mmCIF file of all heavy atoms in Angstrom:
data_model
loop_
_atom_site.group_PDB
_atom_site.id
_atom_site.type_symbol
_atom_site.label_atom_id
_atom_site.label_comp_id
_atom_site.label_asym_id
_atom_site.label_seq_id
_atom_site.Cartn_x
_atom_site.Cartn_y
_atom_site.Cartn_z
ATOM 1 N N VAL A 279 0.844 -1.204 0.000
ATOM 2 C CA VAL A 279 0.000 0.000 0.000
ATOM 3 C C VAL A 279 0.873 1.245 0.000
ATOM 4 O O VAL A 279 0.631 2.199 -0.757
ATOM 5 C CB VAL A 279 -0.960 0.001 1.211
ATOM 6 C CG1 VAL A 279 -1.628 1.366 1.364
ATOM 7 C CG2 VAL A 279 -2.016 -1.083 1.048
ATOM 8 N N GLU A 280 1.898 1.250 0.816
ATOM 9 C CA GLU A 280 2.814 2.394 0.862
ATOM 10 C C GLU A 280 3.522 2.582 -0.481
ATOM 11 O O GLU A 280 3.694 3.719 -0.949
ATOM 12 C CB GLU A 280 3.847 2.209 1.967
ATOM 13 C CG GLU A 280 3.306 2.359 3.386
ATOM 14 C CD GLU A 280 2.494 1.137 3.854
ATOM 15 O OE1 GLU A 280 2.592 0.068 3.197
ATOM 16 O OE2 GLU A 280 1.774 1.262 4.858
ATOM 17 N N LYS A 281 3.927 1.484 -1.110
ATOM 18 C CA LYS A 281 4.575 1.575 -2.421
ATOM 19 C C LYS A 281 3.611 2.165 -3.459
ATOM 20 O O LYS A 281 4.016 2.961 -4.319
ATOM 21 C CB LYS A 281 5.037 0.190 -2.871
ATOM 22 C CG LYS A 281 6.204 -0.369 -2.073
ATOM 23 C CD LYS A 281 6.598 -1.736 -2.582
ATOM 24 C CE LYS A 281 7.790 -2.295 -1.812
ATOM 25 N NZ LYS A 281 8.163 -3.666 -2.276
ATOM 26 N N THR A 282 2.346 1.759 -3.378
ATOM 27 C CA THR A 282 1.350 2.255 -4.325
ATOM 28 C C THR A 282 1.120 3.753 -4.146
ATOM 29 O O THR A 282 1.000 4.499 -5.123
ATOM 30 C CB THR A 282 0.023 1.497 -4.149
ATOM 31 O OG1 THR A 282 0.258 0.091 -4.340
ATOM 32 C CG2 THR A 282 -1.022 1.973 -5.148
ATOM 33 N N ILE A 283 1.066 4.189 -2.906
ATOM 34 C CA ILE A 283 0.893 5.621 -2.627
ATOM 35 C C ILE A 283 2.053 6.412 -3.208
ATOM 36 O O ILE A 283 1.866 7.502 -3.774
ATOM 37 C CB ILE A 283 0.764 5.856 -1.115
ATOM 38 C CG1 ILE A 283 -0.528 5.224 -0.591
ATOM 39 C CG2 ILE A 283 0.762 7.355 -0.795
ATOM 40 C CD1 ILE A 283 -0.602 5.119 0.914
ATOM 41 N N SER A 284 3.261 5.867 -3.119
ATOM 42 C CA SER A 284 4.430 6.541 -3.693
ATOM 43 C C SER A 284 4.294 6.683 -5.203
ATOM 44 O O SER A 284 4.678 7.709 -5.782
ATOM 45 C CB SER A 284 5.709 5.766 -3.357
ATOM 46 O OG SER A 284 5.949 5.762 -1.966
ATOM 47 N N ILE A 285 3.745 5.657 -5.840
ATOM 48 C CA ILE A 285 3.527 5.730 -7.293
ATOM 49 C C ILE A 285 2.497 6.804 -7.618
ATOM 50 O O ILE A 285 2.694 7.621 -8.530
ATOM 51 C CB ILE A 285 3.078 4.362 -7.836
ATOM 52 C CG1 ILE A 285 4.198 3.337 -7.678
ATOM 53 C CG2 ILE A 285 2.656 4.482 -9.304
ATOM 54 C CD1 ILE A 285 3.790 1.923 -8.034
ATOM 55 N N ILE A 286 1.395 6.822 -6.871
ATOM 56 C CA ILE A 286 0.357 7.829 -7.096
ATOM 57 C C ILE A 286 0.943 9.230 -6.921
ATOM 58 O O ILE A 286 0.649 10.155 -7.691
ATOM 59 C CB ILE A 286 -0.817 7.631 -6.130
ATOM 60 C CG1 ILE A 286 -1.523 6.286 -6.387
ATOM 61 C CG2 ILE A 286 -1.823 8.793 -6.241
ATOM 62 C CD1 ILE A 286 -2.205 6.173 -7.723
ATOM 63 N N ASP A 287 1.802 9.387 -5.934
ATOM 64 C CA ASP A 287 2.422 10.694 -5.683
ATOM 65 C C ASP A 287 3.358 11.129 -6.813
ATOM 66 O O ASP A 287 3.673 12.314 -6.928
ATOM 67 C CB ASP A 287 3.196 10.667 -4.366
ATOM 68 C CG ASP A 287 2.279 10.696 -3.148
ATOM 69 O OD1 ASP A 287 1.113 11.106 -3.299
ATOM 70 O OD2 ASP A 287 2.726 10.290 -2.061
ATOM 71 N N SER A 288 3.784 10.185 -7.638
ATOM 72 C CA SER A 288 4.715 10.508 -8.726
ATOM 73 C C SER A 288 4.015 10.764 -10.060
ATOM 74 O O SER A 288 4.650 11.207 -11.018
ATOM 75 C CB SER A 288 5.724 9.370 -8.902
ATOM 76 O OG SER A 288 5.102 8.224 -9.469
ATOM 77 N N LEU A 289 2.709 10.481 -10.137
ATOM 78 C CA LEU A 289 1.984 10.643 -11.399
ATOM 79 C C LEU A 289 1.783 12.125 -11.717
ATOM 80 O O LEU A 289 1.713 12.956 -10.808
ATOM 81 C CB LEU A 289 0.636 9.926 -11.324
ATOM 82 C CG LEU A 289 0.689 8.402 -11.192
ATOM 83 C CD1 LEU A 289 -0.719 7.832 -11.018
ATOM 84 C CD2 LEU A 289 1.374 7.776 -12.400
ATOM 85 N N PRO A 290 1.682 12.482 -12.990
ATOM 86 C CA PRO A 290 1.450 13.880 -13.364
ATOM 87 C C PRO A 290 0.237 14.455 -12.629
ATOM 88 O O PRO A 290 -0.810 13.803 -12.538
ATOM 89 C CB PRO A 290 1.209 13.804 -14.869
ATOM 90 C CG PRO A 290 1.949 12.579 -15.309
ATOM 91 C CD PRO A 290 1.799 11.605 -14.182
ATOM 92 N N TYR A 291 0.393 15.658 -12.109
ATOM 93 C CA TYR A 291 -0.633 16.278 -11.261
ATOM 94 C C TYR A 291 -2.003 16.308 -11.932
ATOM 95 O O TYR A 291 -3.026 15.999 -11.306
ATOM 96 C CB TYR A 291 -0.208 17.706 -10.897
ATOM 97 C CG TYR A 291 -1.132 18.394 -9.910
ATOM 98 C CD1 TYR A 291 -0.895 18.309 -8.538
ATOM 99 C CD2 TYR A 291 -2.247 19.113 -10.349
ATOM 100 C CE1 TYR A 291 -1.740 18.932 -7.632
ATOM 101 C CE2 TYR A 291 -3.100 19.736 -9.444
ATOM 102 C CZ TYR A 291 -2.843 19.643 -8.091
ATOM 103 O OH TYR A 291 -3.684 20.257 -7.198
ATOM 104 N N ASP A 292 -2.043 16.653 -13.202
ATOM 105 C CA ASP A 292 -3.319 16.843 -13.895
ATOM 106 C C ASP A 292 -3.833 15.587 -14.589
ATOM 107 O O ASP A 292 -4.820 15.641 -15.321
ATOM 108 C CB ASP A 292 -3.196 17.964 -14.936
ATOM 109 C CG ASP A 292 -3.023 19.331 -14.281
ATOM 110 O OD1 ASP A 292 -3.599 19.546 -13.199
ATOM 111 O OD2 ASP A 292 -2.305 20.172 -14.849
ATOM 112 N N SER A 293 -3.175 14.443 -14.393
ATOM 113 C CA SER A 293 -3.582 13.226 -15.093
ATOM 114 C C SER A 293 -4.737 12.535 -14.380
ATOM 115 O O SER A 293 -4.984 12.727 -13.183
ATOM 116 C CB SER A 293 -2.396 12.262 -15.227
ATOM 117 O OG SER A 293 -1.923 11.853 -13.961
ATOM 118 N N THR A 294 -5.464 11.730 -15.139
ATOM 119 C CA THR A 294 -6.565 10.915 -14.631
ATOM 120 C C THR A 294 -6.425 9.520 -15.247
ATOM 121 O O THR A 294 -5.382 9.190 -15.801
ATOM 122 C CB THR A 294 -7.921 11.536 -15.013
ATOM 123 O OG1 THR A 294 -7.979 11.702 -16.439
ATOM 124 C CG2 THR A 294 -8.128 12.880 -14.339
ATOM 125 N N SER A 295 -7.463 8.721 -15.157
ATOM 126 C CA SER A 295 -7.432 7.391 -15.756
ATOM 127 C C SER A 295 -8.540 7.272 -16.794
ATOM 128 O O SER A 295 -9.450 8.102 -16.860
ATOM 129 C CB SER A 295 -7.631 6.318 -14.685
ATOM 130 O OG SER A 295 -8.986 6.295 -14.288
ATOM 131 N N SER A 296 -8.498 6.207 -17.582
ATOM 132 C CA SER A 296 -9.519 6.003 -18.609
ATOM 133 C C SER A 296 -10.888 5.802 -17.972
ATOM 134 O O SER A 296 -11.898 6.314 -18.476
ATOM 135 C CB SER A 296 -9.155 4.818 -19.500
ATOM 136 O OG SER A 296 -9.014 3.623 -18.741
ATOM 137 N N LEU A 297 -10.958 5.052 -16.867
ATOM 138 C CA LEU A 297 -12.244 4.863 -16.197
ATOM 139 C C LEU A 297 -12.801 6.202 -15.724
ATOM 140 O O LEU A 297 -13.988 6.497 -15.911
ATOM 141 C CB LEU A 297 -12.108 3.912 -15.008
ATOM 142 C CG LEU A 297 -13.407 3.634 -14.226
ATOM 143 C CD1 LEU A 297 -13.436 2.209 -13.689
ATOM 144 C CD2 LEU A 297 -13.620 4.615 -13.065
ATOM 145 N N THR A 298 -11.958 7.017 -15.132
ATOM 146 C CA THR A 298 -12.386 8.325 -14.641
ATOM 147 C C THR A 298 -12.969 9.152 -15.776
ATOM 148 O O THR A 298 -14.063 9.718 -15.657
ATOM 149 C CB THR A 298 -11.195 9.073 -14.019
ATOM 150 O OG1 THR A 298 -10.598 8.255 -13.007
ATOM 151 C CG2 THR A 298 -11.643 10.386 -13.400
ATOM 152 N N ARG A 299 -12.255 9.209 -16.896
ATOM 153 C CA ARG A 299 -12.717 9.998 -18.041
ATOM 154 C C ARG A 299 -14.011 9.433 -18.624
ATOM 155 O O ARG A 299 -14.903 10.186 -19.033
ATOM 156 C CB ARG A 299 -11.620 10.077 -19.103
ATOM 157 C CG ARG A 299 -10.371 10.818 -18.627
ATOM 158 C CD ARG A 299 -9.398 11.061 -19.773
ATOM 159 N NE ARG A 299 -8.829 9.824 -20.301
ATOM 160 C CZ ARG A 299 -7.745 9.233 -19.821
ATOM 161 N NH1 ARG A 299 -7.103 9.747 -18.770
ATOM 162 N NH2 ARG A 299 -7.279 8.118 -20.362
ATOM 163 N N ASP A 300 -14.123 8.094 -18.654
ATOM 164 C CA ASP A 300 -15.354 7.488 -19.179
ATOM 165 C C ASP A 300 -16.566 7.878 -18.335
ATOM 166 O O ASP A 300 -17.630 8.211 -18.868
ATOM 167 C CB ASP A 300 -15.214 5.963 -19.215
ATOM 168 C CG ASP A 300 -14.321 5.482 -20.350
ATOM 169 O OD1 ASP A 300 -14.097 6.254 -21.299
ATOM 170 O OD2 ASP A 300 -13.838 4.338 -20.272
ATOM 171 N N VAL A 301 -16.414 7.829 -17.014
ATOM 172 C CA VAL A 301 -17.525 8.197 -16.132
ATOM 173 C C VAL A 301 -17.900 9.662 -16.337
ATOM 174 O O VAL A 301 -19.076 10.007 -16.480
ATOM 175 C CB VAL A 301 -17.168 7.929 -14.651
ATOM 176 C CG1 VAL A 301 -18.258 8.491 -13.734
ATOM 177 C CG2 VAL A 301 -16.998 6.428 -14.406
ATOM 178 N N TRP A 302 -16.907 10.534 -16.352
ATOM 179 C CA TRP A 302 -17.171 11.957 -16.530
ATOM 180 C C TRP A 302 -17.862 12.258 -17.862
ATOM 181 O O TRP A 302 -18.694 13.162 -17.955
ATOM 182 C CB TRP A 302 -15.867 12.747 -16.464
ATOM 183 C CG TRP A 302 -15.258 12.817 -15.099
ATOM 184 C CD1 TRP A 302 -15.828 12.420 -13.913
ATOM 185 C CD2 TRP A 302 -13.958 13.303 -14.763
ATOM 186 N NE1 TRP A 302 -14.955 12.624 -12.869
ATOM 187 C CE2 TRP A 302 -13.811 13.173 -13.353
ATOM 188 C CE3 TRP A 302 -12.911 13.830 -15.509
ATOM 189 C CZ2 TRP A 302 -12.649 13.560 -12.686
ATOM 190 C CZ3 TRP A 302 -11.752 14.218 -14.848
ATOM 191 C CH2 TRP A 302 -11.619 14.081 -13.455
ATOM 192 N N GLU A 303 -17.518 11.489 -18.894
ATOM 193 C CA GLU A 303 -18.057 11.737 -20.228
ATOM 194 C C GLU A 303 -19.346 10.978 -20.501
ATOM 195 O O GLU A 303 -19.887 11.029 -21.607
ATOM 196 C CB GLU A 303 -17.004 11.368 -21.278
ATOM 197 C CG GLU A 303 -15.768 12.259 -21.232
ATOM 198 C CD GLU A 303 -14.610 11.720 -22.055
ATOM 199 O OE1 GLU A 303 -14.849 10.770 -22.843
ATOM 200 O OE2 GLU A 303 -13.489 12.234 -21.917
ATOM 201 N N GLY A 304 -19.860 10.275 -19.483
ATOM 202 C CA GLY A 304 -21.115 9.556 -19.641
ATOM 203 C C GLY A 304 -21.017 8.308 -20.500
ATOM 204 O O GLY A 304 -22.008 7.850 -21.072
ATOM 205 N N LYS A 305 -19.818 7.711 -20.561
ATOM 206 C CA LYS A 305 -19.603 6.497 -21.342
ATOM 207 C C LYS A 305 -19.617 5.267 -20.423
ATOM 208 O O LYS A 305 -19.344 5.385 -19.229
ATOM 209 C CB LYS A 305 -18.244 6.555 -22.055
ATOM 210 C CG LYS A 305 -18.094 7.693 -23.047
ATOM 211 C CD LYS A 305 -16.677 7.686 -23.613
ATOM 212 C CE LYS A 305 -16.460 8.829 -24.595
ATOM 213 N NZ LYS A 305 -15.052 8.842 -25.103
ATOM 214 N N PRO A 306 -19.910 4.089 -20.963
ATOM 215 C CA PRO A 306 -19.770 2.869 -20.162
ATOM 216 C C PRO A 306 -18.325 2.741 -19.674
ATOM 217 O O PRO A 306 -17.387 3.065 -20.400
ATOM 218 C CB PRO A 306 -20.109 1.753 -21.156
ATOM 219 C CG PRO A 306 -20.987 2.408 -22.170
ATOM 220 C CD PRO A 306 -20.448 3.808 -22.312
ATOM 221 N N SER A 307 -18.166 2.277 -18.451
ATOM 222 C CA SER A 307 -16.827 2.200 -17.856
ATOM 223 C C SER A 307 -16.535 0.790 -17.355
ATOM 224 O O SER A 307 -17.366 -0.108 -17.456
ATOM 225 C CB SER A 307 -16.721 3.185 -16.681
ATOM 226 O OG SER A 307 -17.411 2.676 -15.559
ATOM 227 N N GLU A 308 -15.350 0.625 -16.798
ATOM 228 C CA GLU A 308 -14.936 -0.661 -16.251
ATOM 229 C C GLU A 308 -15.200 -0.774 -14.754
ATOM 230 O O GLU A 308 -14.586 -1.601 -14.090
ATOM 231 C CB GLU A 308 -13.444 -0.881 -16.524
ATOM 232 C CG GLU A 308 -13.098 -1.011 -17.989
ATOM 233 C CD GLU A 308 -11.616 -1.253 -18.234
ATOM 234 O OE1 GLU A 308 -10.794 -0.810 -17.397
ATOM 235 O OE2 GLU A 308 -11.282 -1.884 -19.249
ATOM 236 N N VAL A 309 -16.104 0.017 -14.221
ATOM 237 C CA VAL A 309 -16.296 0.045 -12.773
ATOM 238 C C VAL A 309 -16.693 -1.321 -12.209
ATOM 239 O O VAL A 309 -16.310 -1.682 -11.097
ATOM 240 C CB VAL A 309 -17.312 1.138 -12.367
ATOM 241 C CG1 VAL A 309 -18.734 0.782 -12.818
ATOM 242 C CG2 VAL A 309 -17.246 1.400 -10.864
ATOM 243 N N ASP A 310 -17.438 -2.121 -12.968
ATOM 244 C CA ASP A 310 -17.798 -3.462 -12.494
ATOM 245 C C ASP A 310 -16.564 -4.341 -12.342
ATOM 246 O O ASP A 310 -16.548 -5.264 -11.525
ATOM 247 C CB ASP A 310 -18.778 -4.131 -13.465
ATOM 248 C CG ASP A 310 -20.204 -3.640 -13.275
ATOM 249 O OD1 ASP A 310 -20.557 -3.310 -12.129
ATOM 250 O OD2 ASP A 310 -20.952 -3.567 -14.262
ATOM 251 N N TYR A 311 -15.535 -4.056 -13.149
ATOM 252 C CA TYR A 311 -14.314 -4.858 -13.127
ATOM 253 C C TYR A 311 -13.257 -4.288 -12.194
ATOM 254 O O TYR A 311 -12.191 -4.870 -12.042
ATOM 255 C CB TYR A 311 -13.759 -4.991 -14.550
ATOM 256 C CG TYR A 311 -14.600 -5.915 -15.392
ATOM 257 C CD1 TYR A 311 -15.749 -5.451 -16.020
ATOM 258 C CD2 TYR A 311 -14.288 -7.262 -15.517
ATOM 259 C CE1 TYR A 311 -16.546 -6.305 -16.780
ATOM 260 C CE2 TYR A 311 -15.069 -8.123 -16.266
ATOM 261 C CZ TYR A 311 -16.207 -7.635 -16.895
ATOM 262 O OH TYR A 311 -16.991 -8.482 -17.629
ATOM 263 N N GLN A 312 -13.561 -3.155 -11.588
ATOM 264 C CA GLN A 312 -12.644 -2.565 -10.625
ATOM 265 C C GLN A 312 -13.322 -2.539 -9.248
ATOM 266 O O GLN A 312 -13.357 -3.558 -8.572
ATOM 267 C CB GLN A 312 -12.186 -1.189 -11.122
ATOM 268 C CG GLN A 312 -11.363 -1.302 -12.411
ATOM 269 C CD GLN A 312 -10.754 -0.015 -12.886
ATOM 270 O OE1 GLN A 312 -10.443 0.879 -12.104
ATOM 271 N NE2 GLN A 312 -10.549 0.118 -14.188
ATOM 272 N N ASN A 313 -13.881 -1.435 -8.838
ATOM 273 C CA ASN A 313 -14.487 -1.376 -7.499
ATOM 274 C C ASN A 313 -15.623 -2.374 -7.350
ATOM 275 O O ASN A 313 -15.831 -2.925 -6.254
ATOM 276 C CB ASN A 313 -14.981 0.035 -7.217
ATOM 277 C CG ASN A 313 -13.909 1.077 -7.433
ATOM 278 O OD1 ASN A 313 -13.841 1.671 -8.498
ATOM 279 N ND2 ASN A 313 -13.045 1.287 -6.438
ATOM 280 N N GLY A 314 -16.365 -2.641 -8.433
ATOM 281 C CA GLY A 314 -17.444 -3.625 -8.365
ATOM 282 C C GLY A 314 -16.930 -5.010 -8.045
ATOM 283 O O GLY A 314 -17.553 -5.765 -7.281
ATOM 284 N N THR A 315 -15.777 -5.364 -8.603
ATOM 285 C CA THR A 315 -15.167 -6.662 -8.305
ATOM 286 C C THR A 315 -14.728 -6.736 -6.848
ATOM 287 O O THR A 315 -14.880 -7.773 -6.181
ATOM 288 C CB THR A 315 -13.965 -6.912 -9.232
ATOM 289 O OG1 THR A 315 -14.432 -6.987 -10.583
ATOM 290 C CG2 THR A 315 -13.254 -8.213 -8.879
#
């Protein structure tokens, strides 16, 4: 978990993920395969 947080802290400040963009744009997303799982 600590290693993952370090990776998140290194990502570009303004970046997001494909799932995030899909939800914002009203498109079908992979949420069932991520948090849903």
Side-chain angles (χ1 to χ4, degrees):
V279 169
E280 288 76 15
K281 290 180 179 178
T282 302
I283 294 167
S284 295
I285 294 173
I286 296 295
D287 286 340
S288 71
L289 295 176
Y291 186 91
D292 291 326
S293 62
T294 56
S295 74
S296 59
L297 180 146
T298 305
R299 296 189 294 273
D300 285 342
V301 172
W302 289 350
E303 294 168 12
K305 298 176 181 178
S307 75
E308 295 181 332
V309 69
D310 280 328
Y311 287 83
Q312 295 186 29
N313 307 96
T315 296

